[in-house]
Amino acid sequence: MNRILFRTFQLICFLLLLAPTGSADWHSIGSLTTPEPKGNQVIFRSRQATVILTVLAPDLIRVRMVPGTTLPSDHSYAVVKTDWSQVPIEFAGDTDTSIIRTPELEVRAHLSPFRLAFYDRNGKLISKDEDSRGMSWEGTRVRCWKSMPEDEHYYGLGEKSNLLDKRGRSYVMWNTDPDGFDAATDPLYQSVPFFIGLRQGRAYGLFFDNTYHSSFDFGVEEHDVYSFGAEDGEMNYYFFAGPTPKSVVSRFTELVGRSPLPPRWSIGYIQSRASYYPESTVRFIVENFRHRGIPCDALFLDIDYMDGYRIFTWNKSYFPDPKKMLSDLRQQGIRIITIVDPYVKVDSHYWIYQQGVRNGYFMKKADGTLFTGRGWPGESAFPDYASEKVRDWWASLYKEQLEQGVSGFLDDMNEPTIVADPGLPNRTFDLDLIHATDHGPRPHAEIHNVYGMLETMANRDGMLRVHANERPLIITRATFAGGQRYAAEWSGDDWGTWDHLRLNMPMLNSMGLSGFQFSGADIGGFQPVPSPELYSRWLQSGVLTPFCWTHSEGPGNLEPWGFGNRLEEINRNSIRLRYHLLPYIYTAFWEAAETGIPIMRPLLLEYPDDWLAVNRNDEYFFGNDLLVAPVTKDDEMSRPVYLPRGVWYDFWTDHRYTGPMRIEAAAPMERMPLFVRGGAIIPSQQDMQYSDQAPIDPLTFDVYPDGTSSRPYYEDDGISFDYQHGVSLHQHLTAAQEAHSTSVEMTAREGSFTPPKRSLVIKIHGQKAQPRQITVAGREAAGQASVKALQGATEGWAYDDGAGVVWIKIPDQGTALKVEVAQ
Ligand code: GLC
């Protein structure tokens, strides 16, 4: 690919985008009449424009503005929650200003010219329209300008590859395959027009629900103004009052939906390559994982498993008996995920093409002839996923592979991308192609950004039709806000460079802030194959990201054992750490599905008032309590780490720190800096080669005392939807540290999921001396000579004086229990 030509093209697009907002003849909204309150809505009108404010929740207001007096029909691909309970609202104001008050927010609408300002209930300004423009339109385009205080910073916007803080740059929302990217590349594969504004520790959020080509400008055009707008569609945004980043993210994900709890196997390690074939290679890779003792749950089959890249077919010379192969692999604890592209080969002998043409399921040109473009199979037709009928058909196509034993799918190239000649940028559908959507014919310009998400919707449906009580795994490259309801996302074709490893962190963290919980990157980079050290370092942090796979195009292979014995051992240990932590990771997934708070999260979510934490692009939380500080430079054997306020334990040495402080943390090749927040109670399990190799036994809780702290524990069967009907296991653990004792209390199991008989191990860290006495449920426990002896016994306790850790082993009877350690 000619990268210079491509970058020039990107720059031209970028300049074209900038020009119109600055120089166009925008019609500002002018004066509006006094409001008409009705229920939870207030309508403001003039002959020129109509504005509707809707109070959805005490901290959530929807703003809709359309030129003219007729409101188009109301439709959203993103928003799923519409049944909000009534919020007490007060209306006040005079002829200049209308005021709407909820228990948490006050909106002041200045009528002439019409401008909005949002305040908290103490009268403190949160955000306001910029004085000279506010909401405006020009032809079909809409835009809103807001004032930008100099100490306000912006986070989110989904999959963007630069730093966490979006201030000082502009961004485009237009799903695009950039054919490789770096920190300057924009747009990328996914569009999430949502951001968090953070100022002096106080947060608000804004979601611009418009699927057209849209843009956000945080101070490029003017240094004290930010703006957002689209080429068409409505000015339609949701304002979240906060006040914490967590409350914004939680409310936003309530509005657009959350990532459902995935199957437990899918949070294991996945190995991939473009492409593993034939069958003997697949078996060879699996054998290697098993005989080398490197845990792995799934392998991904990329495009070469197909017959001539015909979707939903197998290349029978590479894979003569897929059903048998899949069943054999399953015996070895390996599942298979296959790729699905939106390319249906134009081939009159191919049944999927025939069906699509016969039933009019493909995109057509204005003259009614088939629209085609180049994909991997050559000339291809494209399903119109915006049509319910087509989604229904597409969903039915997964059946055969599912019945053969395929466990998950990856939906690729669904920006949608039409592959170009080498040296030219890829392109997409013509913007005026018409989709037969569920709410009438709509141009591609409107559907483009949701095309991939609609495909994942069909994919999910297709999987549920065959396995109604199994949680589907779908991974997608393109999607839109709310797409997390259907699929996990990965960040496309990254590069095997240290720069890319660095940009991964803010990128995945921004996705997490924007509702995408289950996201990850190609560990090691899609191409070229990374240096051995880079791969090991990438894997060390990659195992602590939500979606965890090595995926690479080569040239050459990228497997954890590929770089000699020493690095193989290091890579094995990295993946083993993920499996050791699966109970912690699974509980984090459950919490994320319940609350919307991401599993992988930037420090700003936990410490929004600490600027040093907020500004960290090179550290993140994985779950509630693990602070990850990846090594992202060649030959770096230590690195600076910022520990925010509170107590921290070094995960590897148990050394205790009290933040805020900066330290230089050791990072020998064997491990990256990893810290545990004081108060943490981290569940873990025994070594396993795949996630359901054996029931958890023992279930271990590593307690890192700091005053009194509580953490949840969650478990279920890991695969079915029965947890939604109470077949789950919930327990709460509370640790309390006092001057001469530490106690750990565990509530009785709630829910009807009952694991097989097992032991509990509670490990209390930070214990400087051998305990005087340990009681379990009031009865003195028996001391064992060593940790090793304890591991062989059914119960008792032991003290590891090297690490300062007290181990207590108890049969897990699911009842409430209290362990007390007296010093
Ligand atoms: C795209 C995907 C990549 C895949 C390749 C071939 O580049 O991003 O992951 O391997 O297509 O299917």
Side-chain angles (χ1 to χ4, degrees):
M1 145 115 284
N2 180 339
R3 302 191 63 76
I4 296 175
L5 198 68
F6 182 50
R7 290 288 177 254
T8 313
F9 172 78
Q10 282 187 315
L11 185 69
I12 293 169
C13 295
F14 178 68
L15 293 174
L16 282 175
L17 182 94
L18 277 189
T21 61
S23 60
D25 187 11
W26 290 97
H27 303 278
S28 186
I29 206 165
S31 309
L32 293 185
T33 55
T34 38
E36 303 159 28
K38 198 169 156 207
N40 64 342
Q41 276 193 342
V42 189
I43 302 185
F44 301 86
R45 296 177 200 275
S46 74
R47 281 227 307 274
Q48 286 199 350
T50 308
V51 173
I52 304 183
L53 303 187
T54 310
V55 178
L56 296 172
D59 57 346
L60 175 55
I61 307 275
R62 179 181 179 195
V63 179
R64 243 183 124 188
M65 184 280 290
V66 282
T69 50
T70 326
L71 285 179
S73 68
D74 195 9
H75 175 80
S76 172
Y77 288 97
V79 170
V80 284
K81 182 157 171 82
T82 47
D83 56 333
W84 304 79
S85 58
Q86 276 294 318
V87 179
I89 308 172
E90 288 168 34
F91 297 101
D94 51 31
T95 47
D96 284 343
T97 309
S98 285
I99 297 176
I100 303 162
R101 281 194 199 100
T102 77
E104 289 175 33
L105 175 68
E106 183 173 296
V107 189
R108 294 187 199 161
H110 188 268
L111 298 179
S112 182
F114 189 84
R115 302 284 179 266
L116 289 174
F118 299 88
Y119 292 79
D120 70 14
R121 285 305 306 260
N122 299 321
K124 193 160 186 265
L125 180 66
I126 306 171
S127 169
K128 70 179 184 92
D129 286 351
E130 187 257 346
D131 293 339
S132 67
R133 281 160 296 186
M135 293 184 276
S136 303
W137 69 93
E138 193 267 317
T140 61
R141 301 157 70 211
V142 288
R143 199 152 193 95
C144 178
W145 284 263
K146 291 196 182 278
S147 47
M148 186 167 86
E150 60 183 17
D151 54 351
E152 189 162 281
H153 297 267
Y154 305 94
Y155 305 91
L157 294 186
E159 184 198 54
K160 297 289 174 199
S161 54
N162 66 334
L163 300 179
L164 282 170
D165 186 357
K166 305 299 178 213
R167 191 180 167 111
R169 261 188 71 171
S170 61
Y171 303 85
V172 169
M173 295 296 163
W174 187 250
N175 291 1
T176 303
D177 175 359
D179 203 10
F181 62 93
D182 58 27
T185 314
D186 184 63
L188 296 175
Y189 312 92
Q190 306 169 9
S191 294
V192 191
F194 162 78
F195 69 86
I196 297 171
L198 184 63
R199 186 179 180 209
Q200 296 167 4
R202 196 201 188 288
Y204 67 89
L206 196 148
F207 170 48
F208 179 38
D209 190 10
N210 181 314
T211 61
Y212 282 87
H213 185 289
S214 63
S215 65
F216 290 75
D217 180 314
F218 292 105
V220 173
E221 207 175 291
E222 285 157 83
H223 75 282
D224 54 357
V225 175
Y226 74 78
S227 69
F228 54 93
E231 297 300 295
D232 205 329
E234 271 182 44
M235 176 46 62
N236 172 20
Y237 72 88
Y238 293 79
F239 185 87
F240 304 84
T244 64
K246 278 190 178 170
S247 59
V248 173
V249 173
S250 188
R251 191 61 100 186
F252 171 58
T253 53
E254 192 180 3
L255 183 75
V256 301
R258 295 178 177 144
S259 305
L261 191 62
R264 194 168 182 272
W265 66 265
S266 71
I267 63 172
Y269 173 75
I270 302 171
Q271 178 67 35
S272 174
R273 168 171 174 61
S275 304
Y276 283 132
Y277 70 93
E279 179 174 331
S280 55
T281 300
V282 171
R283 289 185 185 268
F284 172 80
I285 295 293
V286 170
E287 288 303 333
N288 267 276
F289 272 100
R290 292 298 176 249
H291 85 251
R292 292 170 190 273
I294 302 177
C296 179
D297 260 271
L299 241 64
F300 171 67
L301 298 187
D302 209 313
I303 49 177
D304 296 287
Y305 81 87
M306 294 183 251
D307 172 17
Y309 305 137
R310 288 171 188 80
I311 301 304
F312 301 114
T313 65
W314 290 91
N315 178 321
K316 285 294 173 100
S317 58
Y318 295 154
F319 297 99
D321 188 351
K323 196 167 178 180
K324 165 101 178 50
M325 177 184 81
L326 293 166
S327 136
D328 291 351
L329 295 177
R330 187 70 82 83
Q331 298 296 313
Q332 293 173 278
I334 293 287
R335 295 172 184 258
I336 290 291
I337 301 165
T338 57
I339 196 166
V340 174
D341 292 311
Y343 306 133
V344 178
K345 186 176 174 64
V346 173
D347 168 0
S348 54
H349 302 293
Y350 171 35
W351 63 279
I352 295 184
Y353 177 72
Q354 289 166 349
Q355 278 189 4
V357 169
R358 194 175 332 116
N359 297 299
Y361 292 153
F362 296 131
M363 298 301 302
K364 291 192 202 66
K365 295 193 252 189
D367 62 6
T369 57
L370 193 67
F371 171 80
T372 61
R374 204 159 80 186
W376 308 134
E379 212 51 22
S380 306
F382 296 86
D384 180 3
Y385 298 127
S387 148
E388 198 173 347
K389 211 168 59 182
V390 178
R391 287 200 301 276
D392 187 54
W393 169 63
W394 195 256
S396 71
L397 302 178
Y398 293 86
K399 186 165 186 272
E400 188 181 336
Q401 287 200 358
L402 286 165
E403 286 175 349
Q404 286 167 334
V406 169
S407 297
F409 299 92
L410 179 138
D411 294 344
D412 193 18
M413 309 305 285
N414 50 359
E415 292 71 34
T417 294
I418 296 176
V419 180
D421 286 323
L424 290 174
N426 289 332
R427 56 184 193 90
T428 190
F429 297 174
D430 301 338
L431 296 191
D432 55 358
L433 290 196
I434 298 298
H435 291 263
T437 80
D438 316 347
H439 52 285
R442 309 297 309 163
H444 184 65
E446 180 183 313
I447 302 305
H448 178 85
N449 281 339
V450 291
Y451 185 82
M453 168 162 136
L454 292 167
E455 181 192 14
T456 61
M457 195 172 160
N459 192 341
R460 189 171 168 86
D461 177 26
M463 292 189 76
L464 290 173
R465 283 185 201 179
V466 178
H467 300 301
N469 197 21
E470 256 187 46
R471 298 172 223 165
L473 174 74
I474 298 149
I475 309 139
T476 189
R477 196 170 74 171
T479 191
F480 186 71
Q484 64 267 19
R485 302 190 301 263
Y486 311 113
E489 304 71 30
W490 102 108
S491 57
D493 299 346
D494 53 12
W495 296 97
T497 62
W498 291 98
D499 278 348
H500 226 110
L501 171 54
R502 274 191 288 282
L503 71 78
N504 241 315
M505 268 180 283
M507 188 167 179
L508 297 179
N509 276 314
S510 299
M511 288 159 82
L513 282 179
S514 312
F516 289 88
Q517 324 281 6
F518 199 7
S519 53
D522 291 353
I523 293 176
F526 183 58
Q527 52 164 309
V529 165
S531 72
E533 291 75 18
L534 171 55
Y535 178 64
S536 289
R537 289 305 201 182
W538 202 321
L539 192 61
Q540 279 173 352
S541 60
V543 298
L544 301 183
T545 58
F547 179 68
C548 176
W549 80 340
T550 295
H551 177 55
S552 141
E553 185 186 43
N557 275 9
L558 191 53
E559 284 100 27
W561 56 83
F563 303 112
N565 290 347
R566 176 168 175 244
L567 292 180
E568 178 180 335
E569 181 61 14
I570 290 173
N571 297 341
R572 180 186 298 105
N573 286 338
S574 295
I575 300 176
R576 282 175 68 182
L577 175 65
R578 184 170 180 97
Y579 279 76
H580 172 73
L581 290 172
L582 274 190
Y584 169 76
I585 303 174
Y586 195 59
T587 299
F589 267 89
W590 167 74
E591 280 191 286
E594 293 287 301
T595 63
I597 303 303
I599 297 152
M600 179 167 177
R601 59 184 86 149
L603 273 56
L604 71 93
L605 215 51
E606 300 291 331
Y607 304 94
D609 55 348
D610 173 354
W611 176 243
L612 290 178
V614 166
N615 212 13
R616 291 239 84 76
N617 285 286
D618 60 352
E619 293 173 26
Y620 63 91
F621 274 95
F622 186 58
N624 271 320
D625 292 308
L626 290 179
L627 180 69
V628 186
V631 175
T632 59
K633 291 188 189 131
D634 201 4
D635 225 6
E636 190 178 47
M637 296 301 153
S638 72
R639 57 152 286 179
V641 175
Y642 177 66
L643 298 173
R645 63 177 171 265
V647 168
W648 299 92
Y649 290 80
D650 183 311
F651 181 83
W652 310 108
T653 65
D654 268 19
H655 188 90
R656 199 171 185 269
Y657 298 91
T658 305
M661 70 192 299
R662 294 170 200 254
I663 58 165
E664 184 68 19
M669 200 57 217
E670 283 69 27
R671 55 174 212 252
M672 70 175 166
L674 181 60
F675 297 87
V676 187
R677 184 160 35 185
I681 302 173
I682 300 203
S684 63
Q685 66 183 25
Q686 76 273 29
D687 273 350
M688 288 197 205
Q689 291 302 298
Y690 49 98
S691 58
D692 53 359
Q693 186 182 14
I696 301 173
D697 186 18
L699 172 63
T700 300
F701 290 98
D702 279 90
V703 179
Y704 294 86
D706 176 25
T708 301
S709 62
S710 263
R711 297 290 187 272
Y713 174 66
Y714 178 80
E715 195 179 328
D716 59 24
D717 67 15
I719 189 81
S720 79
F721 290 104
D722 295 353
Y723 73 97
Q724 294 175 346
H725 312 291
V727 190
S728 53
L729 182 164
H730 299 259
Q731 283 179 291
H732 252 88
L733 290 99
T734 302
Q737 187 178 36
E738 281 163 33
H740 300 290
S741 68
T742 306
S743 67
V744 179
E745 273 186 86
M746 196 164 173
T747 58
R749 284 180 194 153
E750 276 175 49
S752 62
F753 177 74
T754 310
K757 204 163 157 267
R758 66 184 175 197
S759 299
L760 275 180
V761 172
I762 295 176
K763 289 165 66 182
I764 307 181
H765 293 249
Q767 304 298 294
K768 292 206 181 79
Q770 162 124 355
R772 233 177 354 96
Q773 189 194 42
I774 294 188
T775 57
V776 175
R779 289 187 29 212
E780 186 167 351
Q784 302 281 345
S786 64
V787 169
K788 197 150 193 288
L790 178 70
Q791 281 168 331
T794 49
E795 54 190 302
W797 66 270
Y799 179 60
D800 173 354
D801 57 352
V805 179
V806 175
W807 294 56
I808 301 129
K809 191 169 177 186
I810 317 157
D812 182 8
Q813 279 154 349
T815 48
L817 97 114
K818 183 169 185 180
V819 173
E820 288 178 287
V821 177
Q823 292 292 1

